[in-house]
Amino acid sequence: MSTSAALGEAAQLEAVGRWDQAADLYEKGLNGQQSPAGRALLLVNLTRCLREDDCYDEAEERIGQAKELVDERTEPRVSGLIRLEEGHLSEYQGDHRGARRKYARALTLLENFKTERFPAILASAALERSLGELRKAEELLQQIDRSELTGEHEADYLGALGAVQLARGDYRSAEETLSQALELDEAQSTEYGAVDTRLLLAQAYLGRGDRDHARRLI
């Protein structure tokens, strides 16, 4: 299998939450010849899979290796993705101040890379929402141009927006938004994303007192 084919397969595995299998492919990719930036990007992808699979110590090790390979001035895109992963790991450790700084730096470095900046916006918005800073979360989401989103990204965006509406107690809006997100998830067979959306939508139904709909979703 060629490197590009292996990376494509790894991305497909990530889309359905098969983090360990995707990590194996990224690990194998590290055995080939890459530029420092290319190797750092593989390590970022591997870190993401390890983190999602709850292998945090190894994820810390891998992102540390990636950080040594690139400089922010010459590789802002890869460096921004590294900061994003560092932010996720800081958040896991309960270091919300550190996570905020790293997400902010990621957003700055990825300013000219819309596709890569999108997950950084979502991560930062999710952190602010979890801390009760709903206005900040909304302001971050307002930076996203929906007209430029792919179907999968639109589902992620709607899920993030619906989560903020849910946190505000606006259950009717959350129900509408999350229903749209779930429809997109199911249309694209992104079952991993659909699970989170169903749980959020169930909370919206519960907020409106509709236990039957909530129970069916759960």
Side-chain angles (χ1 to χ4, degrees):
M1 182 183 296
S2 68
T3 300
S4 59
L7 293 179
E9 183 179 341
Q12 291 176 355
L13 289 167
E14 285 193 66
V16 293
R18 296 179 182 174
W19 308 111
D20 56 340
Q21 295 177 44
D24 287 343
L25 288 174
Y26 291 130
E27 189 79 60
K28 289 176 182 176
L30 291 171
N31 295 326
Q33 295 293 322
Q34 304 97 16
S35 66
R39 186 172 182 81
L41 187 55
L42 275 175
L43 287 164
V44 168
N45 294 341
L46 177 55
T47 297
R48 181 175 60 248
C49 293
L50 291 168
R51 171 176 56 78
E52 292 282 6
D53 208 27
D54 298 332
C55 300
Y56 294 103
D57 289 342
E58 190 175 353
E60 289 273 10
E61 179 183 350
R62 291 303 195 171
I63 206 62
Q65 293 170 0
K67 194 173 181 179
E68 294 176 356
L69 292 170
V70 293
D71 182 89
E72 288 186 357
R73 293 168 297 176
T74 57
E75 292 291 344
R77 173 176 169 267
V78 178
S79 295
L81 293 172
I82 289 171
R83 300 296 171 267
L84 173 58
E85 283 305 315
E86 288 184 317
H88 281 301
L89 292 169
S90 290
E91 192 172 352
Y92 163 73
Q93 294 168 348
D95 181 6
H96 297 140
R97 184 177 298 179
R100 262 189 176 138
R101 286 197 307 269
K102 287 161 185 171
Y103 288 150
R105 187 57 183 160
L107 288 170
T108 298
L109 289 166
L110 296 171
E111 182 69 38
N112 297 319
F113 305 94
K114 291 183 179 180
T115 300
E116 291 81 0
R117 198 169 191 266
F118 176 74
I121 292 175
L122 293 190
S124 188
L127 174 62
E128 297 300 341
R129 174 176 56 82
S130 71
L131 296 175
E133 298 289 349
L134 302 184
R135 180 175 295 180
K136 287 184 179 179
E138 287 179 332
E139 288 173 352
L140 284 160
L141 293 176
Q142 286 169 3
Q143 297 178 25
I144 295 172
D145 184 351
R146 283 187 66 181
S147 67
E148 298 180 349
L149 298 178
T150 63
E152 182 180 348
H153 280 179
E154 185 170 11
D156 292 339
Y157 163 76
L158 289 170
L161 178 61
V164 174
Q165 293 168 338
L166 187 62
R168 280 200 180 283
D170 186 356
Y171 301 118
R172 185 177 295 277
S173 294
E175 179 186 329
E176 181 179 345
T177 302
L178 292 166
S179 292
Q180 292 177 44
L182 183 58
E183 185 176 333
L184 285 169
D185 277 327
E186 291 178 337
Q188 297 167 100
S189 299
T190 51
E191 186 59 30
Y192 178 76
V195 170
D196 287 341
T197 306
R198 285 193 189 97
L199 291 174
L200 288 170
L201 184 54
Q203 291 179 53
Y205 280 127
L206 284 173
R208 297 187 62 195
D210 190 344
R211 294 186 178 182
D212 288 339
H213 267 102
R215 188 179 296 111
R216 284 197 292 272
L217 282 167
I218 293 171

